[in-house]
Amino acid sequence: MNTGSSRTEGVPDEAAVASDETRPDGAQGEQGLGSKAPAFIKRRRALHLSWQVGVFVVGLAVVVAGIVMLPLPGPGWVVIFGGMAIWATEFVWAQLVLRWTKRKVTEAAQRALDPKVRRRNITLTVIGLVIVGVLAGIYLWKFGVVMPWKIKDQ
């Protein structure tokens, strides 16, 4: 029985792969890339391959469900990113895509919190609402309120 205390030659230690601790300068380290499968699964090639196929199929089902939810009611993008997170437990390409996405979302959030950008966005929103209100007022003044089910045949 392997308790994890013995080291085998050529197999990296799990602590060396996942470096999620904080560095002395305050920055958080990047987590290692690669499979997050349990060690007993990684040791057997056939078991690891079937594990990867299972993770891919489950992730694919979640991503497809998210794509279906894009035009239908539901949290489509959240579900798609959930499927990507499932894939990222096993595939390096998905881990890189998630890192890129997280970086872009963080940058966008920082830009959105900038006071100048917030003022500009609020100003543009108010201008847009005023324009829509004026156009709606002109339409109602010109045509009035006529419900579609009360239109008389001419």
Side-chain angles (χ1 to χ4, degrees), residues 131-147 151:
I131 290 171
V132 167
V134 167
L135 291 174
I138 291 171
Y139 178 84
L140 290 174
W141 174 66
K142 194 117 169 123
F143 300 107
V145 179
V146 177
M147 296 298 162
I151 296 176

Side-chain angles (χ1 to χ4, degrees), residues 27-79:
Q28 197 163 4
E30 292 282 331
Q31 194 164 355
L33 296 174
S35 175
K36 307 290 190 268
F40 73 92
I41 290 177
K42 288 184 197 177
R43 276 190 232 116
R44 293 172 183 83
R45 178 77 176 136
L47 187 58
H48 191 231
L49 185 62
S50 62
W51 176 272
Q52 285 181 328
V53 168
V55 167
F56 183 79
V57 168
V58 169
L60 183 64
V62 172
V63 168
V64 167
I67 291 171
V68 167
M69 285 185 209
L70 286 176
L72 298 176
W77 285 109
V78 174
V79 174

Side-chain angles (χ1 to χ4, degrees), residues 1-139:
M1 180 156 130
N2 186 2
T3 60
S5 60
S6 63
R7 288 189 168 197
T8 56
E9 195 79 9
V11 176
D13 190 17
E14 288 173 318
V17 173
S19 60
D20 196 27
E21 61 254 1
T22 308
R23 293 188 297 230
D25 60 357
Q28 197 163 4
E30 292 282 331
Q31 194 164 355
L33 296 174
S35 175
K36 307 290 190 268
F40 73 92
I41 290 177
K42 288 184 197 177
R43 276 190 232 116
R44 293 172 183 83
R45 178 77 176 136
L47 187 58
H48 191 231
L49 185 62
S50 62
W51 176 272
Q52 285 181 328
V53 168
V55 167
F56 183 79
V57 168
V58 169
L60 183 64
V62 172
V63 168
V64 167
I67 291 171
V68 167
M69 285 185 209
L70 286 176
L72 298 176
W77 285 109
V78 174
V79 174
I80 289 172
F81 289 128
M84 288 297 295
I86 291 171
W87 279 339
T89 62
E90 200 57 38
F91 303 107
V92 174
W93 61 267
Q95 293 169 359
L96 295 175
V97 168
L98 276 181
R99 279 186 187 176
W100 179 84
T101 305
K102 286 178 186 177
R103 188 175 68 244
K104 291 298 180 183
V105 167
T106 303
E107 290 171 4
Q110 291 300 321
R111 281 194 311 269
L113 292 175
D114 181 27
K116 284 181 166 179
V117 174
R118 287 186 67 203
R119 263 189 309 259
R120 183 198 67 200
N121 289 345
I122 290 171
T123 303
L124 290 174
T125 302
V126 168
I127 290 171
L129 288 174
V130 167
I131 290 171
V132 167
V134 167
L135 291 174
I138 291 171
Y139 178 84

